[in-house]
Every structure is written in structure tokens, then in C-alpha cells.
Amino acid sequence: MRKKEIDFMKKILSCFLVCAFLCTGLYGCGSKKTELIEEAKDLTLSQEISITPEQNDYGIPAYNFLKHIQSNYPGRVAGTEKETEMAVFILSVLLNGGYAESDIAIESFEIDDSTPMMDEAIQNVFDGGEKSNSSQNILITKKGESEKTIIVGAHYDSAGTHGVDDNGSGVSVALENALRMVNTPTYYTIQYVFFGSEEPGMYGSRAYVESLSEKERENIILMINIDTVLAGDYLYLYGGKVNDNGTVDNTEAVFKAYEIVKEIGLNIQLPPDGNNDYPYPTGQKRSDHAPFNDIGIPYIYFEANNWENGSPVETEKNGLIMHTDMDDLDFIENEYSGRVQNTLSSYSILLYSLLQENNWEQ
């Protein structure tokens, strides 16, 4: 075979390998997507976890999702079969809610750790079943008038608990919103990303950001992260990028969101000013907004917590609920009557309102 023919065959083989990698890994058009979609189609959903876009009972659909998660998907430890079962549930809700298979992509990635992120001595640790070194993100794209995109993200893995606070609550709010928006015209394209394997090191959000092309990065104008919005004493919004000299910029989005909060009359606030460890209004960095923030994409982070004494303790009465055996819907409802419905409703109303805005570009 002549040299030109050999070089040509090498180029063909290289193109094939690159396409195969992109297809099976980043964009989910391989067997992983097919397998999960087929399982999702076979999953039977009860009537109470289905909503129609006409309903205005903000937070109630999210609460119904959360009850289902409590009963069926405890211990969604990164890389385990329970985490995968949760992914199938999310896909089933979306497919039943009006999204087409063509709207959905699965992004697979490798992980290093699948241990429960909590004290092993706690009695109700769930191990999540069979472990693996892989996980996946679920991406759902709702086209808008513009290619400019808002990312709505929530991680669906958990520590070795029921994981309703961290982060069944965020998943439930995002799912409710995705179903409300499926037939709602929007100026911006919305991409819902349900991140896998956040707990051991934000594997899902880091994999997502690393997979973005230059054009895709340029098109993302805002990332809204919903994490642990159930049990905390106060409802917060965070945003902004801390510079090396301690100053904070890129805060326009979170301040705009706070103005919308005040217009609506929601009981949601910015964190207290004056904390050098957590410069106002940034709050905590360790969640799925962090990889977006690192590449300069503005974010708004929803979280329920308690910063009244200068550090995030979540609740005055019981301390941290996340990563403990108190992350249980029955416990939270017994300890904090009415709190669950209030937080889900407030953040559901806010998310819907933010996505109706058409001037987020800075």
C-alpha cells in the first residue's frame, strides 16, 4: 500500500475513534443512553408525581417527587446502583412530562470514590448497592428563541442517607420546573442538568464544564444551582466570584435575582455581609456552581441554611441536617412543621420567575 493511502486510512481511523468517544461518552448516543431510556420507559409513575403546566400549586409537585425519593431511593451514593436508579426515575418523569428522547443526552464519566460521605457509625447508613467507578449526568434541553443558554443544575446523588435535604430537594424543584416549562415559550434556551456524583468531589459538574466547546461556553449566560433547599432555617441566594485580592465581582445576576425576590415578596435573602471567610454575597463554594464560576460563568446558588452566627450551621436546633441520619423527610417534617412545603414553594416560584426574564446577559 502506498504512503498516501496509508496516511488516508490513518485519518479515517482517527476520525472514527474520536466520533466513537464523543458519541458514547460526552453526548450519550451510545448504549448507556439507550439502556437508561428503556428502563425509564418501563418505570411506572403514580398519578401524584405527574403535573400539567396549567397547575399553579408551586412546590406541591416537588413535594410529591420528594416523598417518592424518600421511599424509593435512599443511599444514592456516587457510582452505586441506587444512584443509577435515581437517574432512571428522573428520565421517566421527564419523558412522561412531555420531553422527547431527542431533548435528552447522557454524559458518562469516571469517578474515583463511591463511599458514603458521612459517619459510618450512624445507624441508617444506606450503602447504595453494587458499586462502580462510573456515573452520569442527565441533560435536558428546552429550546428558546435564543441560543444563549441558562443552566439549571441539581445533583441527584447523596451521602448514605435518605438524601431528601441534600439533594432530593434540589432535584425535585428542578423537575417541577422542567415540567412547567416544557410548553412555555422562553427567550433563552434552558438546559436542565442533573449532575451525578457531586458528593465525592463535584465529578458531574466538573465533567460537564470540561466537555464544553468554546462556543457552548460563550452561549451559557447563567448557571442556577439548587442544592440543599429543604431543612435550613433561612432561605438564601448566593453569587459572585472572589478575586485574589478578596474583592468580589460578577455579582450582577444574584443582585438582579434578589430584586425579583423583593418584587414577588418571597422570604429569601442574601447572606450576611462582613464574613471574610465567605465574602458577601458568595456563600459556600463547594457545590456544582463552582466549576462554572471557575471559568467566569455567572451563577445564582439556592440554599437553605443558617448564617446568623457567621458560619453555616444549617439549623439552630439540630445543627447540620445534611450528611447525617436526620436527612430524612419524616424527621424534618416532625421537627420543623410546615418548613418543607414553604421552602419548596418559595424556591419553585423564584425559579419560574427567573426563567421568565429575558435580560440576563451582562
Side-chain angles (χ1 to χ4, degrees), residues 199-220:
E199 294 293 356
M202 298 174 286
Y203 280 95
S205 52
R206 288 193 287 116
Y208 177 87
V209 167
E210 289 168 5
S211 75
L212 293 171
S213 67
E214 184 176 348
K215 182 178 180 181
E216 287 169 333
R217 288 189 182 199
E218 291 175 353
N219 276 338
I220 298 174

Side-chain angles (χ1 to χ4, degrees), residues 244-310:
D244 292 338
N245 62 5
T247 61
V248 180
D249 58 21
N250 226 3
T251 57
E252 292 85 355
V254 70
F255 287 140
K256 175 181 171 65
Y258 187 54
E259 290 302 314
I260 294 171
V261 163
K262 291 188 288 185
E263 289 172 12
I264 299 172
L266 296 173
N267 190 23
I268 300 175
Q269 58 190 292
L270 297 172
D273 199 353
N275 189 324
N276 293 330
D277 294 327
Y278 305 95
Y280 174 87
T282 60
Q284 300 185 83
K285 185 178 180 181
R286 197 202 173 285
S287 187
D288 287 312
H289 59 282
F292 294 84
N293 182 47
D294 288 342
I295 61 170
I297 294 175
Y299 71 90
I300 301 169
Y301 175 21
F302 296 1
E303 184 198 48
N305 212 317
N306 185 328
W307 290 83
E308 293 302 294
N309 292 322

Side-chain angles (χ1 to χ4, degrees), residues 70-329:
Q70 163 90 3
S71 299
N72 294 278
Y73 306 107
R76 305 178 302 279
V77 177
T80 63
E81 59 184 324
K82 272 298 178 186
E83 186 193 37
T84 303
E85 289 175 14
M86 181 69 166
V88 170
F89 167 68
I90 292 168
L91 286 167
S92 183
V93 170
L94 295 166
L95 289 168
N96 279 277
Y99 287 92
E101 291 182 41
S102 58
D103 299 324
I104 297 171
I106 305 296
E107 181 180 61
S108 300
F109 53 89
E110 299 297 305
I111 65 172
D112 298 326
D113 193 4
S114 61
T115 57
M117 303 294 292
M118 58 187 293
D119 185 350
E120 291 284 356
I122 295 175
Q123 291 184 353
N124 79 332
V125 170
F126 303 97
D127 65 8
E130 186 176 345
K131 296 177 173 61
S132 74
N133 64 345
S134 66
S135 183
Q136 58 283 313
N137 296 328
I138 302 168
L139 286 59
I140 304 89
T141 303
K142 183 220 174 292
K143 294 290 187 182
E145 295 177 28
S146 171
E147 289 186 353
K148 296 298 183 182
T149 301
I150 296 175
I151 304 296
V152 176
H155 77 86
Y156 64 91
D157 64 313
S158 74
T161 68
H162 283 286
V164 290
D165 181 32
D166 185 13
N167 184 37
S169 58
V171 170
S172 297
V173 169
L175 277 176
E176 175 180 325
N177 183 264
L179 298 194
R180 291 191 185 280
M181 301 301 288
V182 65
N183 293 317
T184 301
T186 57
Y187 176 73
Y188 294 114
T189 291
I190 304 168
Q191 187 172 76
Y192 299 91
V193 186
F194 296 90
F195 297 110
S197 299
E198 184 266 358
E199 294 293 356
M202 298 174 286
Y203 280 95
S205 52
R206 288 193 287 116
Y208 177 87
V209 167
E210 289 168 5
S211 75
L212 293 171
S213 67
E214 184 176 348
K215 182 178 180 181
E216 287 169 333
R217 288 189 182 199
E218 291 175 353
N219 276 338
I220 298 174
I221 59 167
L222 178 65
M223 192 274 179
I224 301 174
N225 182 36
I226 315 169
D227 191 357
T228 314
V229 293
L230 197 69
D233 291 336
Y234 303 97
L235 311 188
Y236 293 104
L237 296 177
Y238 313 114
K241 183 177 180 64
V242 182
N243 299 309
D244 292 338
N245 62 5
T247 61
V248 180
D249 58 21
N250 226 3
T251 57
E252 292 85 355
V254 70
F255 287 140
K256 175 181 171 65
Y258 187 54
E259 290 302 314
I260 294 171
V261 163
K262 291 188 288 185
E263 289 172 12
I264 299 172
L266 296 173
N267 190 23
I268 300 175
Q269 58 190 292
L270 297 172
D273 199 353
N275 189 324
N276 293 330
D277 294 327
Y278 305 95
Y280 174 87
T282 60
Q284 300 185 83
K285 185 178 180 181
R286 197 202 173 285
S287 187
D288 287 312
H289 59 282
F292 294 84
N293 182 47
D294 288 342
I295 61 170
I297 294 175
Y299 71 90
I300 301 169
Y301 175 21
F302 296 1
E303 184 198 48
N305 212 317
N306 185 328
W307 290 83
E308 293 302 294
N309 292 322
S311 60
V313 298
E314 194 166 11
T315 69
E316 182 179 2
K317 183 177 182 181
N318 291 293
L320 290 179
I321 303 298
M322 65 181 85
H323 293 208
T324 74
D325 56 353
M326 294 180 287
D327 192 350
D328 177 307
L329 188 59

Side-chain angles (χ1 to χ4, degrees), residues 57-64 176 180 340-341 344-346 348-349:
D57 47 357
Y58 291 97
I60 292 177
Y63 178 66
N64 290 331
E176 175 180 325
R180 291 191 185 280
V340 168
Q341 288 84 352
L344 293 176
S345 174
S346 296
S348 294
I349 292 170

